[in-house]
Amino acid sequence: MKLRNDVLPAEQVYAILANERRRRAIEQLGAVGGTVSVNELSTLVAGRETGESPPPTRCRESVYTSLVQTHLPKLADAGVITYDRDSQTVELSRRARDVRLYTEILAPGGATWSELYRALAVGSLTVVLAALLDAPLVSAVDPVLWTSLALGAFAAASAVQLWVNRFSVLRQLRPRRSDQKR
């Protein structure tokens, strides 16, 4: 396993995340999980901004203009996206992970994944300790079964997290274009 030495500096990540439209563009590209046209991306971002589907034409055009003139070039210069101006397509690059690490990804219930795992850990430990200390009701079930249930809950949460982030995981597994040329 190689350690990366090309991680985006925190200052650059903060500059990228300082603009809400750039954050939404990165979020929507992550949700799509592949190459998307600038028109599609502007529709997705405008829909997110307005809460309407389809978004109003004026809003979509405003988003399109700001993406093309400002945000996509800035993200491409930082290496966060691959932006083909000729074909008007956009895709997250490997460096997008550096930015997304600064935005805590939410689990389906609205809590962050770290909060979910902490709650599972504390809850599991409490139940297993209660079973070992012969607490009423809880001690009726073998502590090994409680432990197995807790491990099953962690496995299920991990599977859901992998599924939710599947496009990002798959992108990380794909060989880089520069690696393919070697």
Side-chain angles (χ1 to χ4, degrees), residues 55-163:
T57 303
R58 182 173 285 167
C59 181
R60 192 200 56 77
E61 289 171 351
S62 171
V63 170
Y64 178 89
T65 301
S66 71
L67 287 176
V68 169
Q69 291 180 354
T70 306
H71 305 301
L72 296 180
K74 183 172 184 110
L75 293 171
D77 289 345
V80 174
I81 62 167
T82 304
Y83 174 37
D84 186 337
R85 287 174 176 82
D86 296 330
S87 66
Q88 288 290 291
T89 56
V90 185
E91 181 179 18
L92 287 178
S93 71
R94 287 178 176 257
R95 291 187 101 183
R97 184 169 186 256
D98 299 342
V99 175
R100 293 182 79 190
L101 288 174
Y102 283 79
T103 58
E104 188 82 34
I105 298 173
L106 298 180
T112 63
W113 286 107
S114 58
E115 290 169 339
L116 175 69
Y117 286 118
R118 275 194 300 271
L120 274 174
V122 169
S124 300
L125 181 62
T126 302
V127 170
V128 170
L129 286 175
L132 289 171
L133 296 173
D134 291 327
L137 297 175
V138 179
S139 62
V141 177
D142 187 5
V144 174
L145 181 57
W146 283 120
T147 304
S148 299
L149 291 172
L151 290 173
F154 274 99
S158 297
V160 169
Q161 185 178 17
L162 279 172
W163 178 256

Side-chain angles (χ1 to χ4, degrees), residues 22-36 41 44-45 75 80-81 90-93 96-97 100 103 105 162-171 174:
R22 276 196 296 271
R23 288 193 309 270
R24 285 197 172 124
I26 292 169
E27 174 188 313
Q28 293 303 316
L29 285 169
V32 169
T35 304
V36 66
L41 180 59
L44 292 169
V45 171
L75 293 171
V80 174
I81 62 167
V90 185
E91 181 179 18
L92 287 178
S93 71
R97 184 169 186 256
R100 293 182 79 190
T103 58
I105 298 173
L162 279 172
W163 178 256
V164 167
N165 298 317
R166 65 190 174 279
F167 296 119
S168 177
V169 171
L170 290 173
R171 191 176 301 107
R174 255 192 283 159

